Amino acid sequence: MSLLRAPLTLLATYGMGYALTQPNPPISNEERAAYRSPEVKLGRLFLLWPMSMKVINWANGLCEVGAIVAHNFPRPPLTDRILSMLIGPGHSAASLQVNRSLLFATFLTTVGSYIRHQCYRTLGRFFTYELSIRKKHQLVTAGPYSVVRHPAYTGSILSLAGIHVCIFGPGSLLRASGVLDTEIGKVIIGAAALHGVVMGYFFISRTIEEDKVLKNQFGEQWDRWAQNVPYRLIPYVF
């Protein structure tokens, strides 16, 4: 059963990676200079966050898959060394199992990355990580933007929630290795919780800021859209 966890972990990791991948080049310095939000002031340093997240998630995912493969296809002494390094003494890779937690996590990241993909396709060259109004910008109200006004953030929230469940849930590498039971593990859990709170605040504040910019740019057209699509992230909730 643990062998099946490997492709599911890779699928969840890929989904999160796709959701963090910018579909277009970064905006120009001229476009960036038009806004004064904190993220714009950070410039290209702001783009280090998705890159860092991808590195961390892929490192965890590949290590977990490596432990699963080494456990299911033993080739001493190589696989023994791999398991000793990834799992540690006194722990077993047999606990790396498929469970409801992993299935739920994979579902969330898959749905989240699909929503992001639809947003990439619908917005085309207008999709940017940094706040900007591009040359000949148009207000896009089709596809996922006919359901909520900021569906890309909805996709990100789903993907982030899914990858956190995958990494920290039962049957994961961090659980099986006992890392989360150590002092370092407590720091990791605290950092992950803080990251979740910060990102939640960022997504909510970003939707408010984007609405202000779009309303200022498109006026009555934005008002009609906001009337037809009253929710920012989750239908009937927010």
Side-chain angles (χ1 to χ4, degrees):
M1 177 66 78
S2 64
L3 188 60
L4 181 58
R5 185 178 177 94
L8 291 175
T9 297
L10 288 177
L11 180 59
T13 304
Y14 173 80
M16 184 71 258
Y18 185 83
L20 290 169
T21 300
Q22 187 169 200
N24 295 309
I27 64 175
S28 65
N29 290 329
E30 290 76 15
E31 291 173 306
R32 189 177 291 111
Y35 303 95
R36 298 184 179 275
S37 63
E39 70 194 60
V40 173
K41 292 179 181 178
L42 289 174
R44 297 186 187 276
L45 287 175
F46 176 73
L47 301 178
L48 289 178
W49 172 78
M51 184 184 303
S52 300
M53 283 292 297
K54 284 197 287 186
V55 170
I56 292 172
N57 291 331
W58 273 110
N60 174 82
L62 292 176
C63 285
E64 184 168 300
V65 169
I68 292 171
V69 172
H71 173 73
N72 284 273
F73 302 98
R75 293 291 187 275
L78 176 61
T79 52
D80 291 341
R81 292 173 182 170
I82 293 175
L83 291 173
S84 177
M85 179 177 62
L86 297 178
I87 299 294
H91 301 281
S92 173
S95 58
L96 296 171
Q97 294 290 334
V98 174
N99 48 38
R100 293 180 181 178
S101 174
L102 177 65
L103 294 175
F104 181 59
T106 305
F107 172 76
L108 286 180
T109 55
T110 302
V111 171
S113 63
Y114 176 75
I115 292 174
R116 293 280 291 185
H117 174 70
Q118 291 301 314
C119 292
Y120 295 164
R121 291 186 57 188
T122 304
L123 280 187
R125 71 179 186 89
F126 300 135
F127 193 106
T128 58
Y129 269 23
E130 299 172 82
L131 184 63
S132 68
I133 294 294
R134 317 215 76 178
K135 186 177 180 180
K136 297 182 180 179
H137 205 111
Q138 300 175 4
L139 182 64
V140 177
T141 61
Y145 294 89
S146 65
V147 181
V148 292
R149 296 202 299 273
H150 305 278
Y153 299 137
T154 305
S156 292
I157 291 171
L158 291 175
S159 295
L160 281 168
I163 202 64
H164 277 74
V165 173
C166 180
I167 292 174
F168 294 98
S172 67
L173 180 64
L174 288 181
R175 292 286 180 187
S177 64
V179 169
L180 296 183
D181 298 324
T182 66
E183 292 300 320
I184 293 178
K186 294 177 182 178
V187 172
I188 293 174
I189 293 174
L194 178 61
H195 176 259
V197 172
V198 170
M199 292 312 302
Y201 173 79
F202 168 77
F203 288 133
I204 292 174
S205 61
R206 182 70 178 270
T207 62
I208 296 173
E209 182 67 21
E210 285 191 10
D211 275 345
K212 291 179 181 178
V213 171
L214 292 172
K215 178 177 175 61
N216 181 63
Q217 178 72 19
F218 296 103
E220 292 183 2
Q221 186 182 2
W222 184 91
D223 290 333
R224 290 192 297 271
W225 178 48
Q227 184 176 6
N228 293 329
V229 185
Y231 298 99
R232 291 189 176 104
L233 291 173
I234 306 174
Y236 306 106
V237 178
F238 176 78

